[in-house]
Amino acid sequence: MKKNIIISTMVFSLAATSCSDFLDKEPSNDLSKEITFSGWTTAQQFHWDTYNFLLHGALRVNNSWLDAATDLSECAIPTAGTRTSFNIGNYYGGGGAAEFTSLWESRYRGIRKCNMTLAEVDNVERPADETEELFASEKAQVKSEARFFRAWFYWELFLRYGPVPLVTEVLDPEGDLLSNYKTRPSTREYINFIIQELNACGNGMLSYEDATASSRAGRLNPAVPAALLTRILLYMASPRYASESGITWQQAADAAKTFIEEWGDKYQLYKDAANTDVQNNYYALIRDPYTGGNNEIIFYRNDNTIGWGSISADTPIGEGGSGGNCPSQNLVDMYDMIDGSAPFTSYDVTGAPVYNGLYPSVNIASGYDDQSMWSDRDPRLAATILYHGSLWNNREIDVIAGHADNMTSNANSTPTGYYMRKYIPETILSANHGGTARRLWTIIRYAEILLNYAEALNEVGFEANKAQICSLLDQIRSRAGIKGSVANRDDLNSQSAMRNFIHKERTVELAFEEHRPWDVRRWNCAKEALSRPIYGINVATDGTITRKIAQNRVFEDKMYLYPIPEGEVWKANITNNAGW
């Protein structure tokens, strides 16, 4: 190993994208290890750059969102990564490289960065202007955050590739980094390592009050590892992993309950301060995740304001955009009516209604009609999806063939009949697309904790926990403006029915936040969810709505996991995943 390893301290220029003072520092881009850890300022900057390794989901897979690789949407851009790889079963396709291969490299690069911080930070000399107590506290913060990030990166790798080599030493970047790590651990060993890291790293972090100060917005606090633990235990108790992980539903329920008890005074479901328009709460949560007293978001990537250039790929063509991430009829069909009733008679384990060809069986009592399918629905539908007639930038979305948002001459016209509204701030469209807005990437928010708890309780025991399950779900649904209580539904009187309902509820609440790809996998229903057609709609000139198949999809059992990048298999002789 060379003595002077060159370290890139600013892999991405966060100084240009972050509003937080702690990240608005720009060290030299090429410092040796000795120089980096020769002083506390450069050592801190080296560590803070790790925050840049947090992914942002918008357009991440070659101009497409990862949820466009699920039944939630289809990307309108013909060359988009998900269309040319996931959707046709081509997991070696270059269009999907940002997800299939680059992510492997970047996660291990982030892990190496964490390992170096942990190995070197105790050797840094105390600055003359800091007390021993302050310096010890700051070093504890850095080490705790590095351990968390290392656990997070390993979790991201696990979801995609299963257990991969666990590396805790600083490897030579000029060698074959994993050449001495050919053995892949068991799921239990791997997950136990992550859990141990999460349990250990919280104590040294900044307090909640310090971490959420405006000058430190985005810094980790002890709630973050506790929140991630609720997710990991829920996943590991799920059908796909339970036998290998040894984690039970009771453990998952206990973790979520503990988080609510310990952190429920700090984090709640976001509601507008005035709360004059309850149906705006969910819309405001997505539009305003940073200001306005929003204390729902627990873990997020903190980015700066964005303009038209950041959303143009995902806006309707009638607005001058490129279509982008177009929600499916599959997703539209998952939203309940505003009175809390189900529009369809039966739902499967994926959370979707059961289809007979293009059509689910309608629950007549709900008042649902395909010709007015967007009326009197769960308000989260309108906050998430632009449909025909939606008011958007002072005009109505028009997807009639040949009209503004469905021009037959434009290859980017919506294939499903819908466009995305969630995560696309409308304020940017003002002043001839000259506006700006914040768009942070939410990783964990409080609504997920409530959903984690409800799901785990249902699996522990439906009858014994029904009242509490319904209460948890009612909190989320009433925040969005849905009327009525889940407890009064006569179609949710069994564990299996409640299970399917919770899966549906989780899907619509967390749509386009990169939960669906992993949820359907852990529920062991990915093949059912991801190989079914993507449904869409046509709107005739007289307003008549007809359903259609927008795209047929491919999903095989081996696609539960990604193939390990070929270059890594060749270099290190690591065993690839089954079927690849």
Side-chain angles (χ1 to χ4, degrees):
M1 181 183 295
K2 293 184 177 181
K3 290 184 178 180
N4 291 321
I5 298 173
I6 300 300
I7 303 167
S8 174
T9 57
M10 292 296 289
V11 177
F12 310 103
S13 182
L14 194 62
T17 60
S18 171
C19 71
S20 297
D21 290 348
F22 82 95
L23 292 173
D24 287 340
K25 310 293 188 292
E26 191 166 2
S28 169
N29 286 335
D30 294 304
L31 300 180
S32 68
K33 180 179 72 174
E34 286 73 18
I35 294 176
T36 297
F37 293 100
S38 65
W40 186 231
T41 298
T42 52
Q44 284 181 303
Q45 290 168 348
F46 175 78
H47 163 67
W48 286 334
D49 178 54
T50 312
Y51 281 85
N52 280 303
F53 284 75
L54 294 175
L55 301 172
H56 196 296
L59 303 172
R60 188 165 59 79
V61 189
N62 190 25
N63 282 327
S64 58
W65 298 54
L66 189 57
D67 273 328
T70 75
D71 53 343
L72 300 192
S73 63
E74 178 184 351
C75 190
I77 301 171
T79 58
T82 51
R83 282 188 65 162
T84 60
S85 58
F86 281 98
N87 299 166
I88 60 175
N90 183 15
Y91 277 41
Y92 288 108
E99 176 69 10
F100 291 128
T101 57
S102 298
L103 193 139
W104 171 283
E105 186 275 336
S106 68
R107 299 309 88 184
Y108 267 116
R109 185 153 45 89
I111 289 164
R112 183 180 186 277
K113 192 177 185 70
C114 294
N115 288 340
M116 183 171 287
T117 295
L118 292 168
E120 300 293 337
V121 72
D122 280 331
N123 299 324
V124 180
E125 293 186 5
R126 174 174 62 88
D129 59 348
E130 289 196 8
T131 65
E132 289 283 1
E133 183 180 11
L134 176 60
F135 187 48
S137 174
E138 289 180 341
K139 284 198 298 184
Q141 293 162 19
V142 167
K143 289 190 288 187
S144 293
E145 290 183 3
R147 292 183 74 175
F148 172 84
F149 280 127
R150 183 171 63 182
W152 172 250
F153 297 147
Y154 274 126
W155 174 243
E156 289 186 298
L157 286 167
F158 176 82
L159 292 175
R160 292 158 173 84
Y161 306 102
V164 297
L166 290 167
V167 181
T168 55
E169 62 179 321
V170 181
L171 300 181
D172 182 357
E174 299 195 8
D176 292 335
L177 293 183
L178 296 179
S179 58
N180 293 323
Y181 291 87
K182 299 177 182 178
T183 302
R184 302 177 65 178
S186 68
T187 294
R188 185 170 300 196
E189 292 169 336
Y190 191 94
I191 295 302
N192 281 346
F193 171 81
I194 294 177
I195 291 173
Q196 288 166 8
E197 291 293 283
L198 295 179
N199 284 331
C201 71
N203 291 336
M205 290 181 178
L206 285 166
S207 68
Y208 169 86
E209 288 74 18
D210 287 339
T212 54
S214 60
S215 63
R216 298 188 182 95
R219 282 286 294 272
L220 300 174
N221 73 76
V224 179
L228 179 56
L229 186 63
T230 74
R231 180 186 294 184
I232 290 176
L233 292 179
L234 182 83
Y235 276 44
M236 291 301 103
S238 298
R240 181 160 182 81
Y241 303 114
S243 62
E244 295 180 1
S245 71
I247 302 296
T248 66
W249 287 113
Q250 187 63 61
Q251 287 174 285
D254 290 345
K257 178 182 180 183
T258 297
F259 186 94
I260 293 168
E261 291 174 345
E262 294 185 355
W263 294 101
D265 63 332
K266 300 290 193 300
Y267 297 101
Q268 294 95 33
L269 295 175
Y270 174 80
K271 295 181 180 179
D272 180 76
N275 204 27
T276 55
D277 182 5
V278 68
Q279 294 185 26
N280 192 51
N281 286 331
Y282 185 80
Y283 179 89
L285 163 70
I286 301 308
R287 293 294 177 273
D288 189 21
Y290 178 73
T291 59
N294 183 355
N295 60 347
E296 178 167 345
I297 298 176
I298 301 167
F299 180 31
Y300 60 99
R301 180 185 165 96
N302 183 11
D303 289 323
N304 209 334
T305 55
I306 62 171
W308 170 247
S310 296
I311 67 167
S312 61
D314 282 314
T315 52
I317 62 168
E319 192 63 42
S322 299
N325 191 48
C326 295
S328 64
Q329 185 66 40
N330 311 55
L331 174 58
V332 171
D333 287 340
M334 292 190 204
Y335 291 91
D336 279 346
M337 307 301 289
I338 195 170
D339 65 3
S341 63
F344 306 111
T345 59
S346 58
Y347 295 78
D348 63 25
V349 72
T350 73
V354 176
Y355 289 89
N356 181 16
L358 294 171
Y359 297 88
S361 176
V362 173
N363 172 20
I364 302 300
S366 72
Y368 174 86
D369 184 337
D370 246 21
Q371 296 308 308
S372 57
M373 62 169 62
W374 311 302
S375 299
D376 298 322
R377 298 292 291 275
D378 175 346
R380 289 174 295 186
L381 192 161
T384 304
I385 299 169
L386 292 170
Y387 48 81
H388 184 68
S390 294
L391 188 63
W392 182 244
N393 194 27
N394 297 315
R395 72 175 186 90
E396 290 188 355
I397 297 297
D398 187 349
V399 297
I400 294 173
H403 288 202
D405 296 304
N406 194 12
M407 298 295 294
T408 55
S409 59
N410 191 325
N412 290 355
S413 291
T414 171
T416 63
Y418 299 101
Y419 290 100
M420 185 165 73
R421 186 171 197 170
K422 186 174 180 178
Y423 269 124
I424 312 298
E426 189 176 2
T427 54
I428 292 174
L429 305 179
S430 64
N432 195 26
H433 297 171
T436 60
R438 296 193 61 81
R439 181 173 66 171
L440 313 182
W441 181 252
T442 301
I443 301 173
I444 304 176
R445 56 186 175 93
Y446 192 67
E448 182 197 339
I449 307 298
L450 300 182
L451 288 164
N452 293 350
Y453 193 24
E455 182 178 344
L457 282 177
N458 185 59
E459 301 300 339
V460 168
F462 168 72
E463 294 293 345
N465 296 311
K466 182 179 179 181
Q468 191 168 12
I469 294 166
C470 293
S471 174
L472 291 163
L473 297 172
D474 282 345
Q475 291 178 53
I476 295 169
R477 287 160 65 86
S478 64
R479 182 270 291 276
I482 301 173
K483 303 169 185 176
S485 172
V486 174
N488 296 330
R489 297 247 312 228
D490 58 10
D491 58 338
L492 299 176
N493 289 321
S494 70
Q495 184 183 51
S496 61
M498 183 62 78
R499 175 185 299 123
N500 297 350
F501 179 78
I502 291 171
H503 291 184
K504 177 200 71 64
E505 191 64 25
R506 184 180 181 92
T507 301
V508 299
E509 173 68 23
L510 303 175
F512 305 124
E513 297 179 38
E514 285 197 10
H515 287 266
R516 186 67 170 175
W518 318 121
D519 279 339
V520 294
R521 283 173 167 86
R522 70 180 176 89
W523 295 329
N524 255 349
C525 61
K527 192 169 185 179
E528 184 176 357
L530 306 185
S531 65
R532 66 162 59 106
I534 296 300
Y535 300 119
I537 52 112
N538 289 322
V539 181
T541 54
D542 65 357
T544 301
I545 299 170
T546 56
R547 291 173 176 250
K548 66 178 180 180
I549 292 178
Q551 185 183 52
N552 287 304
R553 291 284 176 88
V554 175
F555 191 90
E556 302 172 9
D557 286 337
K558 67 179 182 179
M559 296 171 186
Y560 268 90
L561 292 174
Y562 299 174
I564 292 176
E566 290 179 305
E568 301 299 330
V569 174
W570 295 336
K571 285 189 298 184
N573 197 28
I574 299 173
T575 301
N576 211 334
N577 291 319
W580 297 106

